[in-house]
Amino acid sequence: MGENLRRVRRIAQVQFGAPEPVDIYAQTCARLDAAIAATAARQDVARNQMRAAWEVMRHYSAVTRAYEIRLRALEAVVAEDRLAAGQAVTLAETARRMYDLAVRIEATARHHFEVVRAKESRVEELMQKLTSSKAQLKLAQTAQNHRNRLRSLEAAVEQDPLIHSRSRSDRELHEAARLAREAEALAGLKGGWS
């Protein structure tokens, strides 16, 4: 596929003139850096939201516990018949309403915390993918640079008659070239460099 793309580019360059060479690696690195910076800003916001949601959830959990304790204490007083019947019913209804309201608010705060935590998790995952992509891009660029250097060395060997005649019997050069081709093929199979 890559060879077909190169061939199409060469044909287009011949027909329409050679455009300025575009450094795809630099452009992609710049885009990744911008995405990483934007994601880092989102990560900070998500962490702050997470801390705030955690504190709100803790606060409402404490409020719910306090209303539950008050409700249980009031139920104990009502059970001992220390208050007048009407007064006890009114206090019990109020305590029950306050406790139920606190439970609903705590559930809302807990749900909000879970939503914020899910968002933070997605931002963290995105950051990991972006940094991994940048590392893979750098690895691919390094591999490409080494392939280009190997090709230029091979071209230099082919052009220089003294080196060319000598290189036919040079086992080390042939072995190095073979190992480089094998490494390139293996990396291509694993999807590491292409």
Side-chain angles (χ1 to χ4, degrees):
M1 170 102 179
E3 187 58 37
N4 289 339
L5 186 58
R6 280 187 227 109
R7 194 174 328 134
V8 168
R9 284 186 186 143
R10 281 193 299 260
I11 291 170
Q13 287 174 354
V14 168
Q15 288 181 350
F16 303 112
E20 291 293 320
V22 177
D23 188 359
I24 300 296
Y25 171 75
Q27 286 180 344
T28 306
C29 269
R31 288 177 59 201
L32 278 172
D33 287 339
I36 287 171
T39 304
R42 285 178 48 196
Q43 211 171 22
D44 289 342
V45 169
R47 285 183 184 140
N48 289 337
Q49 287 176 340
M50 181 77 164
R51 279 192 286 272
W54 171 255
E55 290 301 323
V56 167
M57 186 181 71
R58 278 180 9 129
H59 169 75
Y60 283 115
S61 291
V63 168
T64 301
R65 281 191 306 276
Y67 276 115
E68 183 179 18
I69 291 169
R70 288 180 186 135
L71 178 62
R72 301 296 167 236
L74 182 60
E75 287 172 348
V77 168
V78 169
E80 294 176 4
D81 288 330
R82 285 194 266 168
L83 296 174
Q87 190 180 15
V89 170
T90 303
L91 282 175
E93 287 175 355
T94 302
R96 175 59 62 188
R97 277 196 318 269
M98 295 301 289
Y99 173 71
D100 290 343
L101 178 62
V103 167
R104 284 195 307 272
I105 292 173
E106 180 188 9
T108 301
R110 191 170 302 280
H111 174 72
H112 178 71
F113 174 75
E114 293 299 326
V115 168
V116 170
R117 184 165 60 178
K119 284 180 183 178
E120 183 191 34
S121 177
R122 286 193 303 271
V123 170
E124 292 288 334
E125 184 180 322
L126 176 62
M127 181 60 94
Q128 289 175 356
K129 285 180 181 178
L130 286 171
T131 54
S132 174
S133 294
K134 185 165 181 182
Q136 288 177 355
L137 179 64
K138 285 185 177 187
L139 179 63
Q141 180 64 22
T142 301
Q144 183 64 41
N145 289 342
H146 288 300
R147 279 195 297 266
N148 291 342
R149 182 173 164 88
L150 182 62
R151 286 187 189 117
S152 67
L153 288 173
E154 288 172 346
V157 166
E158 293 296 323
Q159 291 176 358
D160 191 336
L162 180 62
I163 296 175
H164 183 63
S165 65
R166 210 161 154 218
S167 69
R168 288 185 181 156
S169 61
D170 190 353
R171 286 186 171 167
E172 289 179 11
L173 181 61
H174 288 295
E175 183 66 16
R178 183 185 67 77
L179 289 173
R181 285 190 297 273
E182 286 178 11
E184 188 174 309
L186 182 62
L189 287 175
K190 290 184 178 179
W193 290 346
S194 54

